[in-house]
Every structure is written in C-alpha cells, then in structure tokens.
DNA sequence: CGGTTCGTTGAGGCCCATCAATCTATGTGG
DNA sequence: CCACATAGATTGATGGGCCTCAACGAACCG
C-alpha cells in the first residue's frame, strides 16, 4: 500500500508527477476522508496518463465505466442541440472530476473532452461504488462533489438566463480565478487556454460577441490578456460587474483541508 | 417501527395522506434501497405538513439544517442577480427534494419556495448523514439524486444558452410531462400551476415573450391550456421542436422500481 | 363591485446573432 | 528561409429575437 504520509509534503504542488495523483483533487480535498480512506481511493485509480488537446475522453451519449479525474491541464463537458449548437455545462480544471455521473449512469448525456494537453487518471465505477459502500467518508465525498457541481451549475444557469454578456464574462472569469486559486490581493493572474469560441460555448454567446465584450472589459481596465495568460487587475471591480460572490464554490484550499477524524 | 410492507399497496397513489409520505419520492424510487433502508428513511422524516402557496421554505442565502421533500404540490428553487432578476434553477414536483445541498452545506445559495399549496416533509441533516453512513443504499441514493439533478440542470443550461424561446418552452413542457408521468400515447395532459411569469423565470425569458411563444405553440396545435391544465396533443411533435430526449431524466416509475438486494 | 392577479396585445428599441472579410500568429514543408 | 496553410482574434454591416414599457382584458375574490 502506498503510504500517503511519507510523500505528502514534498508533492503538494507537483501532483502530476507524483505517485499520488489525487493529491489536491476535489475528491481528496473534500475534508471527509480519513488517511485510510485517502489511501484506499489512491489505490483504486489507474496510473496517470497524458492526453493531447481536443481529445474526447467520453463522447456525448457514450457508455463508460470509469470516472475521469483531471490532474493537469483543462477539459470540459460539452452538450449539443440537434442543430449542432454547443453548450459547455462545465469547465474542468486540475482537480475536477469529468463525469461523476458515470458513478450511477451507464450512458453520459454529455461528452468530456480535453482542451489542452492533460494528465488524467481513471477510477473504475465498480471500485468507486465499492469504496463508497465500505467507507462512509468516501461515500460522503462523492455526494459532496456532486452537490458542489450542482451549485456551480446553478450559478451558470443564472448567468445564462439572466445576465448580460458583460456580466456573464466577468462572472466566469471571477469563478475561474477562484477555482484556480489564482488570487493575490486584488489582482489575479492565471494561464487560461480557452479560445474565445470555447468561452462563447461556456457563456451561451458567439465568439464574435465574446471578442467585443472582452475588448470592453479590457478598455475598462478589468482584464488583460497576453499569450494565453489572463490577468485581472481589479478583481473587486470585476466581481461587482459580474455579481460574483465566491462563497458558493465551497473551495477548500490545500491549506484548509483537514483530515476526517 | 413502521411496517412498509403492510401499507405499501394501498397507498401507492395517495402518498400525501399516507403515514408513509416517502412512497414514490425520488429518494424512495432510486432503486438502491432495501426494505430495511426504506423503513429507516421513513422513520427519519418529520410528519408531513401543509404549506400555502408562495411560501419560502428556505430563503436565498439562509441557513437550514433540514432537507425538504415535496410530497404534494409544486415548488421551485430560485436565485436572483443583484439587480433583482430571477432565475429558477429547478422546478420541484411531487417526489423531488428541494434542497439536497443542505446535506453538505450550512448555507443555501438559492431559495426554496412553494408555488402552490404543498405538502412537505423535512429530513434533518444529521439524521440523513447518519443514515447515509450506516446504510450504503441510502448513501448511494443521495449521490444518485444529486446526479439526477445535475443532469436535469445540464439540460436547462443547454436550453438557456443555446435554444430559442420556442425550443426552450417545448423542451420544458416535454420534461414536465415525463417527470409528472403524464404520458398517454402521443398525448399528454397534466395540471400545471405555473404562471407565465414563473415559466419565464425558469426559461430565462420575460413573461411577455413566454405569452407570445405559447400562443405560437397553441396555433401550431402543440399545446392547449385550459384552467391550469396543460395538454400536449402531439408529444412527438413537441419533442422534435424542443430537441427533447427523455432518457436523461433517469425516471424510474413506481412500476419499474425495484428493491435492492 | 372594486381590487388584484394573470393573460394578452401593441409599439419601439437594444443586445446579440449572423455573415463575411481582414489581420495576426504559428507552424509546416520544400 | 520563404510560401503557404491553418487557427484564432478582430472588425464592420446588417438584421432579428427578445426586451421594455404600457395599456387593456379576463378571471377571481372578498
């Protein structure tokens, strides 16, 4: 069995090369796992594998029997209408689970696709369910993860239904800033590999309009983009624009994460 | 202890008056509960209480330590932007859980409000968590319920982001028809207490536009409304319009529901 | 019968989509 | 090293779907 304690400190910020890929993932940081449960979960996942950009981990409507956890890189869930319009119900950053639904459903009604080169581990459904039944903390962690996703999705629905393009974009950028743990005083900066078309698919807009809206935010000094890096010089202002309140993300940074028991 | 077996048959379609209010709720019908687990869950909920229309069970941002399960009547989750625009992330019909999130989070970032006179039971968070830890089927049921909600919400996001008013309305009506188990060949009919303004808040539209869109669907012979009853004379046609595919709802009708083990 | 809620209708306007072209950066093969 | 191809960002012109504002009708109710 892998001993978590031993390697934990040194690998906290380089999980992609670690033998402990789950460190700092959402499941790991739920706060419900005892050390024993962390070990059990760690031992259940497949070795990390590297995947190129724009590769489907699961296609829309496909069957799968594994959960895919993003260790490094970005991915997304995508859905399409019968006319081919695309809407992303989720952006996945390191630590996120791509398809929690596969825990319960054979068939996914969305696809999961990498956006960048990414490192992925798989957790077989059977093992996940067995662990959930055996360890209360693991079962609780799955429920918690599903509910966090639900919360994020509710906010997206609010944006899609009721916010202007400017507000939507501001809100999403604020959300990403927090989820990537990229805060630093009132300024935030993070690598954002999304094309404007991908942003548009997340925001329910066209890429043309995302472009114009982004320019407006740039002119207002709220955003700087340069070489796939997104800088938010005035996070407080951007939050005001987007009506963003970070509490809903239920983020537990590594520092806050506690072991159960 | 209440004996489920005894009363089950006779109360299948009158759960609101039964001493077994959970019969036919989403949790109950997950298919993961053994008879013992069903009993345990049943014994954990408060007595059913009747609530008037437009009453908040939980206000936006409030703390609560109970899950509210809708036994009879309709309710909704609601969220608002800072400007006061309202978006419903969920419509709740009999059997739905209003605030699964309260299982894990102290504070709700949406409100739960009745739309009609409703019968509600409460499940205290502490007891729910204890049951989930003790009975694997109950833990699994919570996760399953959260994932079903997630799926529905993903579809709503697709509608909000990428579908026209006509498509959105068609899709929602199809969804409600299935969730209410109101099918009957190619025709469907169900009591729908929603005002056009409430529909608008679910669909991310204005009530004026919902009105015009509804008229269009009526002219096309796709919808008939009369006295709070919604009739869909051509479900297949409406599904085509909305791009609706019922599989995603993961409905388990009472007939299909099986006991675990 | 007056008040309230809800549905309906009309006029006008804006936000964002659509279509299309141009520009830039990057990469690739000869 | 350049010609070329491709992906992505940018810009402009135009139009439409839906919003906004406002009024009116219909149903219900105390």
């Amino acid at each position: 069995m892998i001993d978590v304690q031993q390697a934990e400190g040194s690998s906290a910020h380089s999980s992609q090369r670690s033998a402990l890929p789950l460190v700092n993932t959402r499941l790991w940081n739920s706060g419900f796992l005892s050390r024993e449960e962390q070990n059990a979960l760690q031992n259940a996942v497949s070795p990390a594998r590297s995947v190129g950009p724009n590769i489907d981990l699961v296609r829309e409507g496909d069957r799968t029997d594994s959960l895919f956890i993003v260790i490094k890189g970005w991915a997304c869930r995508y859905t399409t209408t019968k006319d081919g319009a695309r809407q992303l119900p989720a952006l996945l950053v390191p630590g996120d689970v791509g398809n929690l639904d596969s825990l319960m459903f054979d068939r996914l009604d969305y696809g999961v696709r990498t956006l960048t080169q990414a490192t992925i581990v798989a957790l077989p459904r059977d093992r996940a369910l067995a662990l959930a039944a055996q360890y209360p903390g693991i079962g609780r962690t799955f429920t918690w993860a599903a509910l966090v996703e639900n919360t994020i999705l509710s906010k997206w629905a609010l944006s899609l239904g009721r916010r202007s393009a400017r507000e939507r974009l501001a809100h999403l950028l604020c959300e990403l800033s927090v989820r990537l743990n990229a805060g630093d005083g009132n300024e935030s900066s993070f690598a954002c590999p999304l094309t404007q078309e991908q942003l548009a698919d997340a925001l329910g807009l066209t890429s043309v309009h995302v472009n114009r809206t982004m320019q407006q935010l740039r002119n207002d000094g709220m955003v700087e983009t340069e070489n796939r890096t997104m800088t938010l010089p005035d996070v407080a202002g951007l939050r005001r624009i987007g009506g963003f309140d970070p509490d809903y993300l239920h983020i537990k940074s590594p520092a806050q994460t506690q072991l159960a028991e």
Side-chain angles (χ1 to χ4, degrees), chain A:
Chain A
M1 177 190 288
I2 299 172
D3 180 5
V4 173
Q5 222 158 348
Q6 175 196 328
E8 201 175 46
S10 63
S11 69
H13 284 289
S14 60
S15 50
Q16 67 277 13
R17 300 209 171 178
S18 165
L20 301 173
L22 291 187
V23 170
N24 287 346
T25 60
R26 178 166 299 175
L27 297 179
W28 188 273
N29 284 351
S30 75
F32 297 130
L33 298 183
S34 66
R35 209 171 286 286
E36 181 189 0
E37 289 170 332
Q38 286 184 334
N39 279 330
L41 202 57
Q42 196 69 257
N43 287 329
V45 302
S46 71
R49 76 175 209 268
S50 183
V51 183
N54 301 311
I55 302 291
D56 276 325
L57 300 176
V58 192
R59 272 186 302 268
E60 211 176 352
D62 266 11
R63 294 179 182 282
T64 183
D65 53 7
S66 282
L67 305 189
F68 297 106
I69 302 170
V70 180
I71 304 301
K72 189 185 165 199
W74 289 46
C76 67
R77 296 207 269 266
Y78 66 90
T79 59
T80 51
T81 65
K82 57 188 192 310
D83 323 310
R86 177 165 23 266
Q87 174 68 43
L88 310 185
L91 286 172
L92 307 170
V93 300
D96 287 336
V97 182
N99 56 334
L100 253 193
D101 306 53
S102 296
L103 202 55
M104 296 292 165
F105 311 132
D106 271 347
R107 204 180 287 279
L108 275 187
D109 49 31
Y110 51 77
V112 181
R113 177 179 298 178
T114 58
L115 296 171
T116 66
Q117 175 93 14
T119 304
I120 307 290
V121 301
L123 173 59
R125 185 222 319 265
D126 293 348
R127 300 208 53 181
L129 287 177
L131 289 174
Q134 184 182 355
Y135 298 102
I138 292 179
R140 189 180 289 203
T141 291
F142 284 129
T143 304
W144 174 83
L147 291 175
V148 170
E149 294 199 352
N150 228 299
T151 306
I152 294 173
L153 204 45
S154 289
K155 293 292 181 186
W156 282 35
L158 177 57
S159 275
L160 290 169
R162 293 305 187 194
R163 284 200 255 252
S164 69
R166 177 182 169 85
E167 294 167 332
R168 277 183 232 184
L169 181 53
H171 194 278
L172 180 60
L173 294 178
C174 290
E175 181 190 311
L176 290 174
S177 161
V178 172
R179 285 173 58 190
L180 292 165
N181 203 19
D184 180 21
N186 193 36
E187 181 161 333
S188 175
S189 192
F190 52 92
C192 177
L194 299 172
T195 67
Q196 294 184 346
E197 184 153 13
Q198 288 159 349
L199 271 172
D201 286 339
L203 296 171
L205 300 167
T206 59
S207 62
V208 172
H209 201 64
V210 166
N211 183 290
R212 290 179 168 129
T213 307
M214 190 82 87
Q215 287 178 50
Q216 196 192 339
L217 287 180
R218 270 197 292 255
N219 288 336
D220 296 348
M222 289 297 173
V223 174
E224 292 164 16
T225 54
E226 183 190 354
N227 194 28
R228 304 280 132 180
T229 295
M230 187 78 62
T231 301
L232 313 179
D234 180 8
V235 172
L238 202 61
R239 288 186 177 183
R240 228 172 294 119
I241 292 172
F244 178 86
D245 172 0
D247 290 351
Y248 75 91
L249 288 170
H250 304 285
I251 292 287
K252 305 188 183 182
S253 68
Q256 298 176 289
T257 302
Q258 294 170 7
L259 284 175
E261 207 65 355

